[in-house]
Amino acid sequence: MRKYCEQCEKEAETKVITKREAYQVCGELIEVDAQVLVCSECGDELFCEELDNATLVKAYNEYRRVHKLLLPEEIKKIREQYGLSQRSFAKLLNWGDKTIYRYENGSIQDKAHNSILLFLREPENMRTYLTENEVTLDERQVTKLLKRIEKIEEDEEFCTSYRILNLFSNIPCEENGFKGFDYDKFCAMVLFFAHKSSELFKTKLMKLLNYSDMIFYKENGISISGSKYVHFPYGPVPNHFEILLEKMQMDHIAHIEIIYDNGYEKHQIIPDRDIPSDEFSDEELKVLERVVNKFAHFGSAEISEYSHREKGYSSTRKGEIISYSYAKDIELDRE
C-alpha cells in the first residue's frame, strides 16, 4: 500500500511492523503488541485509523483479561437470553439508562457491575435476584421475565447446550484470543467454509478455522470465535471440537457424512443451513475470504503439512494449547 510520507515528502510504499506500546486504560498502563504502519523508505510511522483502532481494542481487551471482565458481546448475550431491551435491563439492575448501551458498545464496566452480570448469567440466579431485590420493573415485566426463566429451565435442549458450552472459557485470555467463546460465531465460520468449498473434510476445516482466528487476531487483537486451539498430530484443532460438531448436528446446523475412499474413512462436513447474513463484520469476512482462497486447492494432507511449519505448532507438544501469541509469526503468503 502506498501512502504520503511527510518525512520523505512524497508518496511511498509502506509496511506493517509489530512493536510494543503502552496505553492508559482506566488509569492503568497496559502494554500490547501493536501493528504500526511505517514508510518502507525512511521508517517513519504513518497514521492508519484501522490499525490504530485495532490496537486500542487490543489494549481494552488486555485490560479485561487482566481484570477478568466480560466482553461487550458477552454482556449482550446475557441480556438477550432474558429477552430484555437495553433500557429494561438497566432498569432491572437500577443502573442509568445508557449504562448497558455503553457496556455493549465497548465501554469498560466496573468490577461491581461485572460481578452482578456474571451472577445473572445463570437463570436460577436471575430468579433469586428478582424475588429478593426491589426492582423498578412493573409487575407485568417481572411476570414476563419469570415466565422466560421458567421456559429456559424447562428447555432440556437449552440446558444440555448450556452444560456443553460451560466447557468453554468465557474469560478473555491469550489462549482464546482475548475473547470468550462464541458458539454462534463458530457455527457461522463452519457454515462459511462448508458453503465456500466444493468438498470440505473435517481435517481441513480445523485448519481453516485456526488460520482465520489467528490471522484476525494478528491484525485486530482479538479472535473471531474465541476458540482455543490444541496441538494434535494432524495440526491445530479447536478445543473440544468433537463435542462442538455433535452439538452443531443436534442443532441442525451442520452434520458429518462418512465417505469411504480406497479403504480410508473421510469425514465430510455437510451444511444444513445457509451462511448467516449478519454474523460477520466486514473485517471478519475479508479474513475468511483470504483464508479460503489461500487454501482453495489444498487437500487435508497438504494443509496439515502446511500448518506443521507454523511456529505455534512446532513450539508446542501434543495436547498443549497453542497460544495466540504465535499469531504474529503466521504469514499466509509464504509458499
Side-chain angles (χ1 to χ4, degrees), residues 84-185:
L84 294 167
S85 66
Q86 291 178 337
R87 190 168 183 274
S88 294
F89 198 29
K91 195 174 181 182
L92 169 71
L93 299 169
N94 295 310
W95 296 351
D97 285 352
K98 299 292 184 182
T99 303
I100 296 297
Y101 171 83
R102 289 191 291 105
Y103 289 165
E104 290 185 8
N105 284 274
S107 294
I108 294 177
Q109 66 273 26
D110 62 44
K111 292 180 181 179
H113 282 185
N114 192 76
S115 295
I116 293 172
L117 291 167
L118 278 170
F119 176 77
L120 295 180
R121 188 159 56 183
E122 295 277 359
E124 184 180 344
N125 293 340
M126 176 62 87
R127 181 190 299 279
T128 301
Y129 179 88
L130 281 172
T131 55
E132 295 187 4
N133 288 276
E134 184 178 350
V135 297
T136 54
L137 295 179
D138 60 39
E139 187 176 339
R140 181 186 61 82
Q141 289 174 309
V142 171
T143 301
K144 184 178 178 181
L145 183 51
L146 285 170
K147 285 182 179 179
R148 178 84 175 209
I149 294 168
E150 185 177 348
K151 186 177 180 181
I152 291 172
E153 291 174 333
E154 289 177 349
D155 189 336
E156 186 175 339
E157 186 172 315
F158 174 86
C159 292
T160 300
S161 297
Y162 191 83
R163 285 194 295 271
I164 288 173
L165 294 180
N166 267 347
L167 292 170
F168 301 88
S169 172
N170 283 307
I171 299 173
C173 63
E174 198 165 53
E175 289 187 346
N176 58 24
F178 295 114
K179 178 174 182 173
F181 179 70
D182 188 329
Y183 175 69
D184 292 335
K185 194 79 79 173

